[in-house]
Amino acid sequence: MAKASDLFVQALEAEGADHVFGIPGEETLALLESLRGSGIRLVLTRHEQAAGFMAATFGRLTGRAGVCLATLGPGATNLVTAAAYAQLGAMPMLMVTGQKPLHDSRQGHFQIIDVVGMMQPLTKYTRQLVSAGAIPAQVREAVRRAQEERPGATHLELPQDIADRDTDASVLPTVYTRRPVAEAKALDAAADAIRQARHPLLMVGAGANRKTTSNMLRSFVERLGIPFFSTQMGKGVLDEGGALWLGTAALSDGDFVHRAIDAADCIVNFGHDVIEKAPFQMRHGRRTVIHVNYFPAVVDRVYFPQLEVVGDIANSVWELGQRLEPQPHWDFAFFDRVRTALCDNIGTLGCDGRFPLSAPRLVAELERALDPRDITCLDNGLYKLWFARHARCRLPNALLLDNALATMGAGLPSAIAAALVHPGRKVVAVCGDGGFMMNSQELETAVRLGVDLVVLVLRDDAYGMIKWKQAHDGFPAFGMDYGNPDFVRYAESYGARGHRAGSIDEFSAQLRAALDTPGIDLIEVPIDYDRDDALLNDEIPALAAAVD
Ligand SMILES: Cc1ncc(C[n+]2csc(CCOP(=O)(O)OP(=O)(O)O)c2C)c(N)n1
Ligand SMILES: [Mg+2]
């Protein structure tokens, strides 16, 4: 006989869980006690939302469901944004929440809400455990569903009296199931379309940023020499430092990459997921668009591919590679001119000498200071667009950004999770002053865990991204500006080191020193978005339009 909460933890361990992120409550005390005696590390956070962001990022980086824990009611509601983050972002995550006893509760409705019902639209699977004997199968199912393509969030509710029961059930063995592969006729049709095109172009999306797709795609691209671009969440699957990179679709239109897209007569989308902001707007009859993904295309007014190759992406890439040879009629001359112009533009903007710093210069400074293996985790703000457009990612998941829920507040928690998963790699969190303050309390978690982290807080004393949109849309300035704490002293009050950059050179020196020093360093970086509207809406589209 085993205690149900012990069995629950054993079931998690059998699934390979080694961390649980969360905050306890009365109703989860038995589970907490079972965790104490296990090999799983409990990472206590200061807000459940941050625990959820950490678990989701853990899943994103490892492919194994990250586990987070909260109590009933307010603990569970605090997980909601993280559930949406994991679900939209296709990050495997299992949320575990407590509940009052199912039987003989004497507290009326105190703290009780329908958590399973609340999680319904935000998860792939949500269940209340009503018997101890169901625990092994339910944990297996929740983890399997979280990890299976398309990955996402799952939820189990463990009521207090069920957790306290004894059971003779035992953990189910884990089984490995192969993913289905694409059908030969679909592969033949796709290969024919690519072969016959004059200007084929590849797009790498979020779905290709998982599993073993990166290696397969690399050899496919190297052998065939077809240029590629990526979506924001597809960055790094293919080496963006190479000669075939045509940029990232950070905007939906008007950028250099869109000139290449317009000139292409066949676009192969590896792993495109419509949860990302549209990388380009499909129009009727312009070109063949091929959807290669684990699941069929979710048709949208801006995305309606004519051919679909549905099955394991890595296998589809390999199969397409088997069917194709470089073709003499393939003509990439215009794409080459687009690349040259784009690289010039990125280079020029990266040298901007203004201080407060421009975002393109910030990206350039970080790129100079970091090793390609290092990890940059972004919160959400205007700078994200520039990182997406300018950063040359050399490896998958070296730039963690969220172009799915695009929530503020995930930058610092995701960086803490990245530092736990990859202790040997340097991790930098880049946050706006707005997004940072949404989960800045997790500085304490980071200090307590002893992780090595650099946190850049980009200070414009405003919700800069929305301020830009407001001005662009012709609204009068209103409701965007705020004050900030003294970030240097704020960091110090947590036991971290705080720095304030007063010039580009000073920032550059502070960044390098922080990267070389163990522990937490926060650098306040004044940022200037004043030119961004002109750059993004006039200058870049004009330069892009001029490429011929
Ligand atoms: C949780 C959440 N609330 C609101 C938004 C809408 N929003 C997107 S960016 C942004 C401003 C971000 O401000 P900040 O973090 O300071 O970054 P900045 O653009 O100023 O660099 C807001 C309010 C959001 N994406 N997520
Ligand atoms: Mg700001």
Side-chain angles (χ1 to χ4, degrees), residues 374-432:
D374 296 341
I375 301 173
T376 307
C377 299
L378 304 187
D379 206 278
N380 262 277
L382 189 42
Y383 53 89
K384 184 181 84 175
L385 203 150
W386 293 107
F387 272 86
R389 188 175 186 273
H390 288 216
R392 314 277 177 99
C393 297
R394 317 294 302 268
L395 292 168
N397 282 329
L399 177 66
L400 291 187
L401 56 73
D402 163 22
N403 189 34
L405 185 66
T407 181
M408 294 164 73
L412 177 60
S414 63
I416 294 173
L420 287 174
V421 174
H422 295 296
R425 295 162 67 176
K426 292 187 173 135
V427 180
V428 180
V430 181
C431 309

Short mmCIF file of all heavy atoms in Angstrom, two decimals, residues 374-432:
data_model
loop_
_atom_site.label_atom_id
_atom_site.label_comp_id
_atom_site.label_asym_id
_atom_site.label_seq_id
_atom_site.Cartn_x
_atom_site.Cartn_y
_atom_site.Cartn_z
N ASP A 374 24.85 30.85 -25.81
CA ASP A 374 24.17 31.53 -24.71
C ASP A 374 22.69 31.75 -25.05
O ASP A 374 22.31 31.73 -26.22
CB ASP A 374 24.88 32.86 -24.40
CG ASP A 374 26.30 32.62 -23.91
OD1 ASP A 374 26.58 31.48 -23.47
OD2 ASP A 374 27.13 33.53 -24.00
N ILE A 375 21.91 31.98 -24.01
CA ILE A 375 20.45 32.04 -24.21
C ILE A 375 19.93 33.43 -23.83
O ILE A 375 20.25 33.94 -22.75
CB ILE A 375 19.75 30.97 -23.35
CG1 ILE A 375 20.28 29.58 -23.74
CG2 ILE A 375 18.24 31.02 -23.52
CD1 ILE A 375 19.78 28.46 -22.84
N THR A 376 19.15 34.01 -24.73
CA THR A 376 18.53 35.30 -24.45
C THR A 376 17.02 35.08 -24.32
O THR A 376 16.41 34.49 -25.21
CB THR A 376 18.81 36.30 -25.60
OG1 THR A 376 20.21 36.36 -25.82
CG2 THR A 376 18.29 37.68 -25.26
N CYS A 377 16.45 35.53 -23.20
CA CYS A 377 15.01 35.34 -22.96
C CYS A 377 14.34 36.70 -22.96
O CYS A 377 14.71 37.57 -22.18
CB CYS A 377 14.79 34.69 -21.59
SG CYS A 377 15.54 33.08 -21.46
N LEU A 378 13.38 36.86 -23.82
CA LEU A 378 12.73 38.17 -23.94
C LEU A 378 11.39 38.20 -23.22
O LEU A 378 10.64 37.22 -23.24
CB LEU A 378 12.45 38.50 -25.41
CG LEU A 378 13.62 38.50 -26.38
CD1 LEU A 378 13.15 39.01 -27.73
CD2 LEU A 378 14.77 39.34 -25.87
N ASP A 379 11.10 39.34 -22.63
CA ASP A 379 9.74 39.65 -22.19
C ASP A 379 9.05 40.24 -23.44
O ASP A 379 9.55 40.05 -24.55
CB ASP A 379 9.80 40.66 -21.03
CG ASP A 379 8.58 40.57 -20.14
OD1 ASP A 379 7.54 41.15 -20.51
OD2 ASP A 379 8.65 39.91 -19.10
N ASN A 380 7.92 40.91 -23.28
CA ASN A 380 7.26 41.48 -24.44
C ASN A 380 7.25 42.99 -24.42
O ASN A 380 6.78 43.59 -23.47
CB ASN A 380 5.81 40.98 -24.52
CG ASN A 380 5.73 39.83 -25.50
OD1 ASN A 380 5.63 40.05 -26.70
ND2 ASN A 380 5.86 38.62 -24.99
N GLY A 381 7.74 43.57 -25.48
CA GLY A 381 7.75 45.02 -25.63
C GLY A 381 8.26 45.32 -27.03
O GLY A 381 8.51 44.40 -27.82
N LEU A 382 8.46 46.58 -27.31
CA LEU A 382 8.85 46.97 -28.67
C LEU A 382 10.19 46.38 -29.09
O LEU A 382 10.41 46.04 -30.26
CB LEU A 382 8.88 48.51 -28.73
CG LEU A 382 9.05 49.18 -30.09
CD1 LEU A 382 8.24 48.52 -31.18
CD2 LEU A 382 8.70 50.65 -29.99
N TYR A 383 11.09 46.20 -28.14
CA TYR A 383 12.42 45.65 -28.43
C TYR A 383 12.32 44.24 -29.03
O TYR A 383 13.19 43.81 -29.77
CB TYR A 383 13.28 45.61 -27.14
CG TYR A 383 12.57 44.92 -26.02
CD1 TYR A 383 12.70 43.56 -25.84
CD2 TYR A 383 11.71 45.63 -25.18
CE1 TYR A 383 11.98 42.92 -24.85
CE2 TYR A 383 10.99 45.00 -24.19
CZ TYR A 383 11.13 43.64 -24.04
OH TYR A 383 10.42 42.99 -23.08
N LYS A 384 11.26 43.50 -28.70
CA LYS A 384 11.14 42.11 -29.21
C LYS A 384 11.17 42.08 -30.73
O LYS A 384 11.78 41.21 -31.33
CB LYS A 384 9.83 41.48 -28.69
CG LYS A 384 9.68 40.01 -29.10
CD LYS A 384 8.40 39.38 -28.61
CE LYS A 384 7.25 39.67 -29.55
NZ LYS A 384 6.01 38.96 -29.17
N LEU A 385 10.49 43.04 -31.30
CA LEU A 385 10.45 43.12 -32.75
C LEU A 385 11.86 43.27 -33.34
O LEU A 385 12.20 42.65 -34.35
CB LEU A 385 9.59 44.33 -33.08
CG LEU A 385 8.92 44.41 -34.40
CD1 LEU A 385 7.64 45.20 -34.22
CD2 LEU A 385 9.82 45.11 -35.37
N TRP A 386 12.68 44.08 -32.67
CA TRP A 386 14.04 44.29 -33.17
C TRP A 386 14.91 43.06 -32.94
O TRP A 386 15.76 42.74 -33.78
CB TRP A 386 14.66 45.53 -32.51
CG TRP A 386 13.98 46.79 -32.94
CD1 TRP A 386 13.14 47.57 -32.20
CD2 TRP A 386 14.04 47.40 -34.23
NE1 TRP A 386 12.69 48.63 -32.94
CE2 TRP A 386 13.23 48.56 -34.20
CE3 TRP A 386 14.71 47.10 -35.42
CZ2 TRP A 386 13.07 49.40 -35.29
CZ3 TRP A 386 14.55 47.94 -36.51
CH2 TRP A 386 13.74 49.07 -36.44
N PHE A 387 14.72 42.38 -31.82
CA PHE A 387 15.48 41.14 -31.61
C PHE A 387 15.08 40.12 -32.68
O PHE A 387 15.92 39.42 -33.24
CB PHE A 387 15.22 40.56 -30.21
CG PHE A 387 16.15 41.12 -29.17
CD1 PHE A 387 15.84 42.30 -28.53
CD2 PHE A 387 17.33 40.47 -28.85
CE1 PHE A 387 16.69 42.84 -27.57
CE2 PHE A 387 18.19 40.99 -27.90
CZ PHE A 387 17.88 42.18 -27.26
N ALA A 388 13.78 40.03 -32.95
CA ALA A 388 13.33 39.07 -33.95
C ALA A 388 13.93 39.41 -35.31
O ALA A 388 14.40 38.54 -36.04
CB ALA A 388 11.81 39.08 -34.03
N ARG A 389 13.94 40.69 -35.64
CA ARG A 389 14.40 41.10 -36.96
C ARG A 389 15.92 41.03 -37.10
O ARG A 389 16.45 40.66 -38.14
CB ARG A 389 13.92 42.53 -37.24
CG ARG A 389 14.16 42.99 -38.66
CD ARG A 389 13.55 44.37 -38.91
NE ARG A 389 13.67 44.73 -40.32
CZ ARG A 389 14.74 45.34 -40.83
NH1 ARG A 389 15.74 45.69 -40.05
NH2 ARG A 389 14.79 45.61 -42.13
N HIS A 390 16.68 41.36 -36.01
CA HIS A 390 18.13 41.54 -36.14
C HIS A 390 19.00 40.43 -35.58
O HIS A 390 20.12 40.26 -36.02
CB HIS A 390 18.53 42.86 -35.48
CG HIS A 390 18.09 44.06 -36.25
ND1 HIS A 390 18.82 45.20 -36.34
CD2 HIS A 390 16.99 44.27 -37.01
CE1 HIS A 390 18.18 46.08 -37.11
NE2 HIS A 390 17.05 45.53 -37.51
N ALA A 391 18.52 39.70 -34.57
CA ALA A 391 19.40 38.70 -33.94
C ALA A 391 19.67 37.57 -34.93
O ALA A 391 18.76 37.09 -35.59
CB ALA A 391 18.75 38.16 -32.68
N ARG A 392 20.93 37.17 -35.03
CA ARG A 392 21.28 36.02 -35.89
C ARG A 392 21.45 34.83 -34.97
O ARG A 392 22.51 34.63 -34.38
CB ARG A 392 22.60 36.23 -36.62
CG ARG A 392 22.78 37.56 -37.27
CD ARG A 392 22.12 37.64 -38.63
NE ARG A 392 22.28 38.99 -39.13
CZ ARG A 392 23.21 39.35 -40.00
NH1 ARG A 392 24.03 38.46 -40.50
NH2 ARG A 392 23.33 40.60 -40.38
N CYS A 393 20.42 34.04 -34.85
CA CYS A 393 20.49 32.88 -33.95
C CYS A 393 21.20 31.75 -34.67
O CYS A 393 20.90 31.44 -35.81
CB CYS A 393 19.10 32.43 -33.55
SG CYS A 393 18.23 33.66 -32.64
N ARG A 394 22.11 31.15 -33.96
CA ARG A 394 22.90 30.07 -34.55
C ARG A 394 22.39 28.70 -34.14
O ARG A 394 22.72 27.70 -34.75
CB ARG A 394 24.38 30.20 -34.13
CG ARG A 394 24.95 31.62 -34.16
CD ARG A 394 25.04 32.20 -35.55
NE ARG A 394 25.83 31.40 -36.44
CZ ARG A 394 27.14 31.56 -36.66
NH1 ARG A 394 27.80 32.53 -36.03
NH2 ARG A 394 27.79 30.80 -37.50
N LEU A 395 21.60 28.68 -33.05
CA LEU A 395 21.13 27.40 -32.49
C LEU A 395 19.66 27.48 -32.12
O LEU A 395 19.17 28.55 -31.75
CB LEU A 395 21.93 27.06 -31.22
CG LEU A 395 23.40 26.74 -31.41
CD1 LEU A 395 24.11 26.73 -30.07
CD2 LEU A 395 23.57 25.40 -32.11
N PRO A 396 18.94 26.33 -32.17
CA PRO A 396 17.54 26.36 -31.73
C PRO A 396 17.44 26.81 -30.28
O PRO A 396 18.30 26.49 -29.46
CB PRO A 396 17.10 24.88 -31.85
CG PRO A 396 18.09 24.22 -32.72
CD PRO A 396 19.37 24.99 -32.60
N ASN A 397 16.39 27.54 -29.99
CA ASN A 397 16.09 27.96 -28.62
C ASN A 397 17.20 28.77 -27.94
O ASN A 397 17.29 28.81 -26.72
CB ASN A 397 15.74 26.76 -27.74
CG ASN A 397 14.31 26.29 -28.00
OD1 ASN A 397 13.45 27.10 -28.33
ND2 ASN A 397 14.08 25.00 -27.85
N ALA A 398 18.05 29.43 -28.75
CA ALA A 398 19.04 30.33 -28.14
C ALA A 398 18.40 31.70 -27.90
O ALA A 398 18.90 32.50 -27.12
CB ALA A 398 20.26 30.46 -29.04
N LEU A 399 17.30 31.98 -28.60
CA LEU A 399 16.53 33.20 -28.34
C LEU A 399 15.11 32.75 -28.01
O LEU A 399 14.39 32.26 -28.87
CB LEU A 399 16.52 34.10 -29.58
CG LEU A 399 15.68 35.37 -29.45
CD1 LEU A 399 16.27 36.32 -28.41
CD2 LEU A 399 15.57 36.10 -30.79
N LEU A 400 14.75 32.89 -26.73
CA LEU A 400 13.41 32.48 -26.32
C LEU A 400 12.50 33.70 -26.37
O LEU A 400 12.63 34.60 -25.56
CB LEU A 400 13.43 31.90 -24.91
CG LEU A 400 14.13 30.56 -24.72
CD1 LEU A 400 13.92 30.06 -23.30
CD2 LEU A 400 13.65 29.52 -25.72
N LEU A 401 11.64 33.72 -27.36
CA LEU A 401 10.66 34.80 -27.37
C LEU A 401 9.28 34.21 -27.53
O LEU A 401 9.12 33.08 -27.98
CB LEU A 401 10.98 35.86 -28.42
CG LEU A 401 11.14 35.47 -29.89
CD1 LEU A 401 9.82 35.16 -30.52
CD2 LEU A 401 11.81 36.62 -30.63
N ASP A 402 8.29 34.99 -27.16
CA ASP A 402 6.91 34.51 -27.15
C ASP A 402 6.13 35.32 -28.17
O ASP A 402 5.75 36.45 -27.91
CB ASP A 402 6.37 34.67 -25.72
CG ASP A 402 4.84 34.59 -25.65
OD1 ASP A 402 4.22 34.01 -26.56
OD2 ASP A 402 4.28 35.11 -24.66
N ASN A 403 5.93 34.72 -29.33
CA ASN A 403 5.11 35.37 -30.36
C ASN A 403 3.78 34.64 -30.47
O ASN A 403 3.20 34.55 -31.54
CB ASN A 403 5.87 35.34 -31.69
CG ASN A 403 5.20 36.18 -32.77
OD1 ASN A 403 4.60 37.21 -32.48
ND2 ASN A 403 5.27 35.73 -34.01
N ALA A 404 3.34 34.06 -29.36
CA ALA A 404 2.10 33.28 -29.38
C ALA A 404 1.08 33.97 -28.47
O ALA A 404 0.17 34.63 -28.94
CB ALA A 404 2.36 31.86 -28.94
N LEU A 405 1.24 33.87 -27.15
CA LEU A 405 0.39 34.67 -26.26
C LEU A 405 0.93 36.10 -26.19
O LEU A 405 0.18 37.03 -25.97
CB LEU A 405 0.35 34.05 -24.85
CG LEU A 405 -0.60 34.73 -23.88
CD1 LEU A 405 -2.06 34.56 -24.30
CD2 LEU A 405 -0.42 34.22 -22.46
N ALA A 406 2.25 36.21 -26.40
CA ALA A 406 2.93 37.52 -26.31
C ALA A 406 2.58 38.23 -25.02
O ALA A 406 2.18 39.39 -25.01
CB ALA A 406 2.62 38.38 -27.53
N THR A 407 2.72 37.50 -23.93
CA THR A 407 2.40 38.09 -22.63
C THR A 407 3.58 38.86 -22.06
O THR A 407 4.74 38.49 -22.28
CB THR A 407 1.98 36.99 -21.63
OG1 THR A 407 1.66 37.60 -20.38
CG2 THR A 407 3.08 35.97 -21.40
N MET A 408 3.29 39.89 -21.33
CA MET A 408 4.33 40.54 -20.53
C MET A 408 4.54 39.70 -19.27
O MET A 408 3.65 38.97 -18.85
CB MET A 408 3.89 41.95 -20.14
CG MET A 408 3.77 42.89 -21.32
SD MET A 408 2.83 44.37 -20.89
CE MET A 408 4.01 45.25 -19.85
N GLY A 409 5.71 39.81 -18.68
CA GLY A 409 5.96 39.18 -17.39
C GLY A 409 6.69 37.85 -17.44
O GLY A 409 7.06 37.31 -16.40
N ALA A 410 6.90 37.30 -18.63
CA ALA A 410 7.52 35.97 -18.71
C ALA A 410 9.04 36.04 -18.89
O ALA A 410 9.71 35.01 -18.80
CB ALA A 410 6.90 35.16 -19.85
N GLY A 411 9.57 37.22 -19.12
CA GLY A 411 11.01 37.31 -19.43
C GLY A 411 11.89 36.79 -18.31
O GLY A 411 12.73 35.90 -18.52
N LEU A 412 11.70 37.31 -17.10
CA LEU A 412 12.55 36.89 -15.98
C LEU A 412 12.30 35.43 -15.59
O LEU A 412 13.25 34.65 -15.47
CB LEU A 412 12.35 37.85 -14.79
CG LEU A 412 13.13 37.52 -13.52
CD1 LEU A 412 14.63 37.52 -13.76
CD2 LEU A 412 12.78 38.51 -12.41
N PRO A 413 11.04 35.00 -15.41
CA PRO A 413 10.83 33.58 -15.06
C PRO A 413 11.37 32.62 -16.11
O PRO A 413 11.96 31.60 -15.76
CB PRO A 413 9.30 33.46 -14.95
CG PRO A 413 8.81 34.85 -14.66
CD PRO A 413 9.76 35.77 -15.35
N SER A 414 11.20 32.95 -17.39
CA SER A 414 11.70 32.02 -18.41
C SER A 414 13.22 31.97 -18.38
O SER A 414 13.83 30.92 -18.61
CB SER A 414 11.18 32.38 -19.81
OG SER A 414 11.65 33.64 -20.20
N ALA A 415 13.85 33.10 -18.05
CA ALA A 415 15.32 33.10 -17.96
C ALA A 415 15.79 32.26 -16.76
O ALA A 415 16.79 31.54 -16.85
CB ALA A 415 15.82 34.54 -17.82
N ILE A 416 15.06 32.31 -15.68
CA ILE A 416 15.43 31.49 -14.50
C ILE A 416 15.32 30.00 -14.88
O ILE A 416 16.22 29.21 -14.57
CB ILE A 416 14.53 31.83 -13.29
CG1 ILE A 416 14.79 33.27 -12.83
CG2 ILE A 416 14.77 30.85 -12.14
CD1 ILE A 416 13.84 33.77 -11.75
N ALA A 417 14.25 29.65 -15.58
CA ALA A 417 14.10 28.25 -16.00
C ALA A 417 15.23 27.84 -16.94
O ALA A 417 15.79 26.74 -16.82
CB ALA A 417 12.75 28.03 -16.66
N ALA A 418 15.58 28.74 -17.87
CA ALA A 418 16.66 28.42 -18.81
C ALA A 418 17.98 28.21 -18.07
O ALA A 418 18.76 27.31 -18.40
CB ALA A 418 16.80 29.54 -19.85
N ALA A 419 18.21 29.03 -17.05
CA ALA A 419 19.45 28.90 -16.28
C ALA A 419 19.46 27.57 -15.50
O ALA A 419 20.53 26.97 -15.31
CB ALA A 419 19.59 30.08 -15.31
N LEU A 420 18.29 27.11 -15.07
CA LEU A 420 18.24 25.82 -14.36
C LEU A 420 18.48 24.65 -15.33
O LEU A 420 19.18 23.69 -15.00
CB LEU A 420 16.87 25.63 -13.69
CG LEU A 420 16.58 26.48 -12.46
CD1 LEU A 420 15.13 26.30 -12.02
CD2 LEU A 420 17.53 26.11 -11.31
N VAL A 421 17.90 24.76 -16.52
CA VAL A 421 18.04 23.66 -17.49
C VAL A 421 19.47 23.62 -18.06
O VAL A 421 20.01 22.55 -18.28
CB VAL A 421 17.02 23.82 -18.65
CG1 VAL A 421 17.26 22.78 -19.75
CG2 VAL A 421 15.59 23.70 -18.13
N HIS A 422 20.05 24.80 -18.28
CA HIS A 422 21.38 24.87 -18.91
C HIS A 422 22.36 25.64 -18.03
O HIS A 422 22.77 26.77 -18.37
CB HIS A 422 21.28 25.56 -20.28
CG HIS A 422 20.47 24.79 -21.28
ND1 HIS A 422 20.85 23.55 -21.74
CD2 HIS A 422 19.32 25.09 -21.90
CE1 HIS A 422 19.95 23.11 -22.62
NE2 HIS A 422 19.01 24.00 -22.73
N PRO A 423 22.77 25.05 -16.91
CA PRO A 423 23.65 25.81 -16.00
C PRO A 423 24.99 26.18 -16.64
O PRO A 423 25.64 27.12 -16.21
CB PRO A 423 23.84 24.85 -14.82
CG PRO A 423 23.35 23.51 -15.25
CD PRO A 423 22.44 23.72 -16.41
N GLY A 424 25.38 25.48 -17.69
CA GLY A 424 26.69 25.76 -18.30
C GLY A 424 26.64 26.87 -19.33
O GLY A 424 27.67 27.26 -19.89
N ARG A 425 25.45 27.39 -19.62
CA ARG A 425 25.34 28.43 -20.64
C ARG A 425 24.93 29.75 -19.98
O ARG A 425 24.20 29.76 -19.01
CB ARG A 425 24.31 28.01 -21.69
CG ARG A 425 24.79 26.78 -22.45
CD ARG A 425 23.67 26.06 -23.19
NE ARG A 425 23.11 26.82 -24.29
CZ ARG A 425 22.17 26.32 -25.11
NH1 ARG A 425 21.72 25.08 -24.95
NH2 ARG A 425 21.72 27.04 -26.10
N LYS A 426 25.40 30.86 -20.54
CA LYS A 426 25.02 32.15 -19.96
C LYS A 426 23.60 32.49 -20.39
O LYS A 426 23.20 32.21 -21.52
CB LYS A 426 25.99 33.22 -20.41
CG LYS A 426 27.35 32.95 -19.81
CD LYS A 426 28.35 34.02 -20.05
CE LYS A 426 29.57 33.67 -19.24
NZ LYS A 426 30.80 33.82 -19.99
N VAL A 427 22.87 33.10 -19.48
CA VAL A 427 21.47 33.44 -19.76
C VAL A 427 21.25 34.93 -19.49
O VAL A 427 21.66 35.44 -18.45
CB VAL A 427 20.51 32.60 -18.89
CG1 VAL A 427 19.06 32.97 -19.19
CG2 VAL A 427 20.72 31.11 -19.13
N VAL A 428 20.62 35.59 -20.45
CA VAL A 428 20.31 37.01 -20.31
C VAL A 428 18.80 37.19 -20.45
O VAL A 428 18.21 36.71 -21.42
CB VAL A 428 21.01 37.86 -21.40
CG1 VAL A 428 20.68 39.33 -21.23
CG2 VAL A 428 22.51 37.64 -21.36
N ALA A 429 18.18 37.84 -19.49
CA ALA A 429 16.76 38.22 -19.62
C ALA A 429 16.71 39.66 -20.11
O ALA A 429 17.42 40.52 -19.57
CB ALA A 429 16.07 38.10 -18.26
N VAL A 430 15.92 39.89 -21.14
CA VAL A 430 15.75 41.26 -21.64
C VAL A 430 14.29 41.65 -21.43
O VAL A 430 13.39 41.03 -22.00
CB VAL A 430 16.12 41.37 -23.13
CG1 VAL A 430 15.96 42.81 -23.61
CG2 VAL A 430 17.53 40.87 -23.38
N CYS A 431 14.07 42.65 -20.56
CA CYS A 431 12.70 43.02 -20.19
C CYS A 431 12.51 44.53 -20.34
O CYS A 431 13.42 45.30 -20.04
CB CYS A 431 12.43 42.68 -18.72
SG CYS A 431 12.85 41.00 -18.26
N GLY A 432 11.31 44.93 -20.74
CA GLY A 432 10.96 46.34 -20.64
C GLY A 432 10.71 46.67 -19.18
O GLY A 432 10.52 45.76 -18.35
#
